[in-house]
Amino acid sequence: MGLYGERVGALSIVSKSADVSSRVESQLKLVIRPMYSSPPIHGASIVAAILKDRDLYNDWTIELKAMADRIINMRQQLFDALRARGTPGDWSHIIKQIGMFTFTGLNPEQVSILTKEYHIYLTSDGRISMAGLSSKTVPHLADAIHAVVTRVA
């Protein structure tokens, strides 16, 4: 199960100087250190409850399968959209890979353009979250990938 220890959210702090930033960072590190040393037990308790109860376990496996199928469908939609656009390259790796993320094969320059011009965020090595896609966002992603691939080799 992919529970993330119930640690969610982000904290951004803007300060007027590097000195203030340094002091704030130092205090934040003191606050978060115990959280990483002693992670919450809630996630383990949730997993145990689901695995011990046959009905909850059955519900979980059905939901897990639905999520996995949705990601597979997003992979297929992206693959089909890239092929329909005639995007140069062999994009079959998108449908051959499994999991929440895929390596697109895009280089750092292409990734940078996706981020700056199309507001598509992925790691600099081209890894993108397939779980974050929807049928509505696949066309935008496919258009952007097509544009950067045809523009930058």
Side-chain angles (χ1 to χ4, degrees), residues 31-52:
V31 171
I32 65 169
R33 176 71 174 119
M35 292 180 196
Y36 291 110
S37 296
S38 302
I41 194 167
H42 302 90
S45 298
I46 293 168
V47 171
I50 291 170
L51 295 180
K52 288 178 181 176

Side-chain angles (χ1 to χ4, degrees), residues 36-124:
Y36 291 110
S37 296
S38 302
I41 194 167
H42 302 90
S45 298
I46 293 168
V47 171
I50 291 170
L51 295 180
K52 288 178 181 176
D53 182 297
R54 182 172 300 283
D55 290 336
L56 289 176
Y57 177 80
N58 289 337
D59 288 346
W60 173 69
T61 58
I62 290 167
E63 292 172 8
L64 185 62
K65 175 79 168 109
M67 290 174 59
D69 287 347
R70 192 191 80 73
I71 293 171
I72 290 168
N73 183 264
M74 291 302 101
R75 288 178 178 283
Q76 188 66 53
Q77 285 185 40
L78 180 58
F79 173 76
D80 292 345
L82 291 169
R83 290 203 48 196
R85 286 159 178 75
T87 306
D90 175 11
W91 297 97
S92 64
H93 58 278
I94 291 173
I95 54 175
K96 290 178 183 174
Q97 295 173 14
I98 60 170
M100 290 176 41
F101 297 92
T102 193
F103 284 97
T104 59
L106 300 175
N107 64 44
E109 183 180 0
Q110 292 166 329
V111 168
S112 178
I113 294 169
L114 280 180
T115 301
K116 290 178 184 173
E117 294 183 18
Y118 297 92
H119 307 286
I120 295 170
Y121 302 94
L122 58 164
T123 59
S124 62

Side-chain angles (χ1 to χ4, degrees), residues 8-27:
V8 296
L11 174 64
S12 298
I13 298 175
V14 178
S15 65
K16 292 183 180 182
S17 70
D19 178 57
V20 170
S21 293
S22 177
R23 287 186 278 142
V24 168
E25 180 182 20
S26 144
Q27 293 303 302

